[in-house]
Structure formats: C-alpha cells, structure tokens
Amino acid sequence: MNKILFVAMSLLIVCVSLRSQTETTKIIVRVILVDKDLNQKPVPHLTLLLSAVTNTTAHSQEAKTAFSGDAEFQAAPGKYRLSTPQGVDFAGQHYEWDLEVNASGEKVSVDLSNDNSKKADRHPVDPKNNSDDLTLMFQKYQKSVVTVWSEIGSGTGFIVDSSGLIMTNQHVIGPSELVAVQFDAKRKVAAKVLSFDAGRDVAVLYADLSAFPEAAAAPIADVREGHPIAVEGEKVFTIGSPLGLKKIITSGIVSKVEARAIISDVNINHGNSGGPLFNSLGEVIGITAFLVPGGNGPGVAGIIRIDQTLPVLAQARKKMKDASLPSAKLLPVEPIDPYPLDSLKEMAKPVKFDRKPYVFTMGGFDVALITPVLQYEVDGEVDRTAEREKGKRTRKRGESGQNTFEPMQDLHEWAEYIGDYKPVLHVQAAPQLRETFVSELGRELAPAIVTYAGGARMKFRTDFYRMKLLCGAKEVEPIQPGKAATVINAHDSFVNVTDATYVGIYTYPAEAISPACGKVTLQIFSEKDPEKAESKELDPKSVNRVWNDFKPYLSAHASEAKSQ
C-alpha cells in the first residue's frame, strides 16, 4: 500500500512540474518600421512594458529591444497589455504602441509595426521639402548644442541637464579663467567649470539657461551593463558649432567600439571638439574629441564613450548644489552683418601701405591693432618671409619692434577666427624676444678671446596674462578675450631659441576706439605681475586710423538698421 501511495505521489509531482513548465509562455516581440521606400528598419533601444490584465498576481515587466529590434518576456498564462511608454520618432512621425497580448502555450510572437501603431506628427514638415530622418534629428537636437568659448579658443558643448549643466572637452577649456557659452548669433552668457577630468578629456560647465528658453537637454543613451552602447556599422551623427557659430550636422557609421572610445568615420570639423555623438535614435553615446588624419582620405574620429563621462557629471551635480549660478547677463557677440568688401579693396589700395599707426611696443610686448583693412593688406603681401625677419631682429637687436613685428604670425589656433574679415577690432599683444644676459656677455667677449660665441640665445621677455582697453575712463568689454600658445624652436648661426609663451588676442566691437573717447588707453598685464599693468595712451593718429577703417562698416550698418 505504501509503495502504491509513493508511486502515485511521485506521478503527481511530475505532472505538476510538467504543467508548471508549460504554464510559462515566452513572448517574443519584434519592432520593425517601414520607411517611404518600403525599407524595413528595426527599432533598437525601445522600452517595452508588459502589464497583466487578468492575472492579478503577475507583476509588470520592462524590456528593451536589441539592435535587431527584438525583445523577450516570460509570462504566466493570461491577458496582458503591451505598451511603449516613450515611443520612437521615425520619418517625421512619432510612433507608440498599446495592444493586448494573450499569453498561452509555449511561445507567442508579437510584431509592432506601422500598421498597429498610434501615429502622431512630432515635427511639422512642409510636404514640399524633401526632409529625411537626419533633417528631423537636426531640427530637434540643435537646441541642445552650444558654442563654448574660452581664452584659448572655442569648441562645442551640449546641454545634459536643464538646470544648466553643459558637457564639453577639457582641452576646449584648458587653463582658461574665462568661459562662456553661446546659444546663437545673439545670445551668449558666462559659464563656470564645475568638474573636469583631464585624463578622460571631459569638463562639465554651469550656466544660466534662462537666456535661452528653447534650450533642451540631450538624451543620454542607456549605459547599463548588458546594453551595448554601440555596434560596428551603426549609423551615427554629430552636431557641431564651429568658429562660424553656424551649427552643422555630419553623419557616418561606427567603425569600432573600444573600452573607452568609439571610432567612427563621421566628419569632425574645426570647432567640433566637445560635441555630442548621437545614435540613430537621437541618444548621446559619446563626445567628439579628436580626429586622426588618414592619408589621402578624411581620416577617422575618436569619440569618448558617454559612460566614461558619468563620474564627472555626477561630481558636477554634487557641486552644483553649493555653487552660485553664473550671471544670465548677455555678453557682447560678434556682429552678424559683414564688412563691405568693396571698401576693403579701396582702402588697402595705396602702393605703400603705412602700418605704423597699427603697430607699436609697450613694456615687453609688441602690439597690433588689427582692423579688417590691415588684415586685408597683410594677407595680400606675399614677398615677406619669417626667416628674413628673424635675421633682421637678431642682427639689429636695438631696432624698434614695429619694424620687425608681424601681426597675426603667431595666431595659428585663431587663424580661421580672424580670417573672415569680420567687422571687429582684434588687439594682439605678443611678448618680445630678448637675448639672455649670458649670451650677450659671451658674444661681447668672444672677439677678445678669439672664439666663436655661436648664435644669440633668446628668450621671451614676459608672458601675456590679460588686457584692458579704456575709452576715456570706461573699460570696453571685449567680445572675446583670447590667448594663443606660441612655441619657438629655431637654431642657426644667428639665433638659438627654444621657448614658449602666450600671445594675447582680444576682440572688440568696431566702435571700441574713436576720437569721441577723448583718450584711449591700453593696459597689458603679464603673468609675472598679474596685478600691475603696463599702460599706454594710444597716439591720436592710431585712434583716427582705426576709426576711419571702420567708418564704411558703421555707415552701412546704420543705413541697414534705419531701413528696418
């Protein structure tokens, strides 16, 4: 009897076990959309929610589609509601799904497509325009991208938090003490660095976004373990804000995914550093950081993976609680209208162009007042060589700086910025080279001891720190305070020099210098004594020359404003 009871119980356990196994249903979901050309497009990274309708003991489940557009659930028998909390943007429309699924048997397949979705126009598009997904992505996410200005140049940044956090590359900021972010041609505000990691080349800035109500935070991709941040061959795009301030979009594919970086063939333009790299769903998966040139081709771009930046972002969020929000006051920006080109050609016509009013020395600096007219003249002169000027400077050490100093020759990082004949005044302050005391003494003693002392050993006399321009007693606020790192490494029979310094390059409005100021004063501060300024009142001839150079632009600008 006991043996029969034991066998019956065993059979019952096996039956229950088998029944429980068959009462779990695998629900396989596939999300595929079809574009206007009938091409099937799998939808990756889409969040799916499975909620029970009849089975009150079942809990809601969440899953995300893979790059193939597939996702999977395990559920007990019953009726369920399958929905997409956020939906997806595709071909100018927003798609969401909400449908009933009956879980029964071992496996159920569910296809989410255009036909069973809830569609809504997310981006109104003129049907006459031939807009595609990339166009729509640009329209949507360009409001997340800003230009980042520092003393050493400019780059791109993107808003990661609507409270005012902006991410960029650390090398865009460098050692700069002055930082600003610009949203468009008219709106620029001060920013401060909250956190940075030089090793990862990431910095997070803090700015008041109230000056730009349209600003939107860029969505960050899911970086949880088990969710690949990108795959080889995936389409990506970036929005950059180069020196011209016009935001541009470039696209490509992921070439390789590494532990800390993504390699892509997306085209990185000058000024793109610090910009977001988006996947096809408009999620940020990295920060554009560097370009590796490739022979005759465009090269490949190096992108810092977004998961590498999260510790820096977390640190910024922590510091933000105690940090004061930078001022929302709008800073000066470059004028939008150009300098009249015909006037440039006419004013630079004289056979012997007189540069003396533009160039002078003060303290240990050679200074140039660079107007569009001077710039146009300098660009047109092709019979000058740097070697000739270096030789002249060495042989005639007592010669005045205005005869040896060539404005703009050391501004490699700022060449594109200055090269567009913008209607602004650039004031350049370049530290002078001088022969060291030991070198000069050796060269003087050489003839007496019948020996060759070699080339003069030169060093920069000082390092640029900052400048002030005063119109009367009032300081003129610069549009852009800048510095250009300069390294000289020259060795020949005349000169030996290996040294580095910063050249100051500040940009001011066209009307910054005028006879109406009464007097115009320039103050330059060096790193050796940052509180004490070398000061010089500009010669009236220099003031009048600069003012006359801008007259055609100011007249045209006034006429245009009056007509509006």
Side-chain angles (χ1 to χ4, degrees), residues 79 103 195 200 259 289 299 302 308 319 335 346 456 497 541 543 550:
K79 290 185 178 180
S195 62
R200 288 185 171 92
Q308 297 295 307
K319 289 185 175 181
E346 188 66 30
V497 53
K541 188 176 180 181
V543 173
F550 283 109

Side-chain angles (χ1 to χ4, degrees), residues 68 131 228 431:
S68 59
S131 297

Side-chain angles (χ1 to χ4, degrees), residues 213-416:
E214 311 96 303
I220 305 298
D222 187 354
V223 295
R224 290 180 298 171
E225 189 174 348
H227 292 263
I229 196 165
V231 294
E232 284 82 358
E234 180 183 5
K235 289 184 179 180
V236 291
F237 67 95
T238 184
I239 299 174
S241 186
L243 287 175
L245 289 177
K246 184 179 180 181
K247 296 172 185 177
I248 60 173
I249 184 170
T250 55
S251 63
I253 63 169
V254 172
S255 305
K256 189 177 181 182
V257 180
E258 298 182 341
R260 297 181 60 182
I262 297 170
I263 306 301
S264 172
D265 66 348
V266 67
N267 186 25
I268 302 297
N269 298 281
H270 183 70
N272 272 89
S273 291
L277 184 76
F278 294 95
N279 62 19
S280 57
L281 294 178
E283 299 170 332
V284 179
I285 60 173
I287 306 179
T288 56
F290 57 91
L291 180 67
V292 180
N296 297 324
V300 294
I303 294 99
I304 302 164
R305 288 174 46 146
I306 197 65
D307 53 329
Q308 297 295 307
T309 72
L310 298 185
V312 188
L313 181 57
Q315 187 181 22
R317 286 198 169 110
K318 186 177 180 181
K319 289 185 175 181
M320 183 176 61
K321 297 175 182 177
D322 300 319
S324 58
L325 187 64
S327 172
K329 174 193 171 187
L330 292 179
L331 300 176
V333 295
E334 291 180 4
I336 301 173
D337 44 343
Y339 192 101
L341 189 57
D342 290 342
S343 299
L344 272 183
K345 295 176 180 178
E346 188 66 30
M347 297 179 75
K349 257 184 180 180
V351 178
K352 186 169 178 58
F353 187 92
D354 185 11
R355 294 193 192 180
K356 290 181 181 179
Y358 301 97
V359 183
F360 53 88
T361 63
M362 56 180 292
F365 296 91
D366 290 320
V367 180
L369 307 174
I370 305 171
T371 68
V373 176
L374 174 65
Q375 180 189 337
Y376 186 83
E377 192 277 333
V378 170
D379 288 347
E381 185 182 345
V382 294
D383 59 344
R384 184 186 74 246
T385 66
E387 288 298 324
R388 180 194 67 192
E389 298 304 332
K390 281 193 291 183
K392 182 195 297 183
R393 182 168 54 208
T394 305
R395 291 191 300 271
K396 301 180 181 180
R397 292 190 299 277
E399 191 170 3
S400 66
Q402 65 186 33
N403 292 325
T404 62
F405 170 53
E406 289 292 352
M408 299 179 288
Q409 68 178 355
D410 296 319
L411 303 181
H412 309 298
E413 296 96 332
W414 295 91
E416 184 178 339

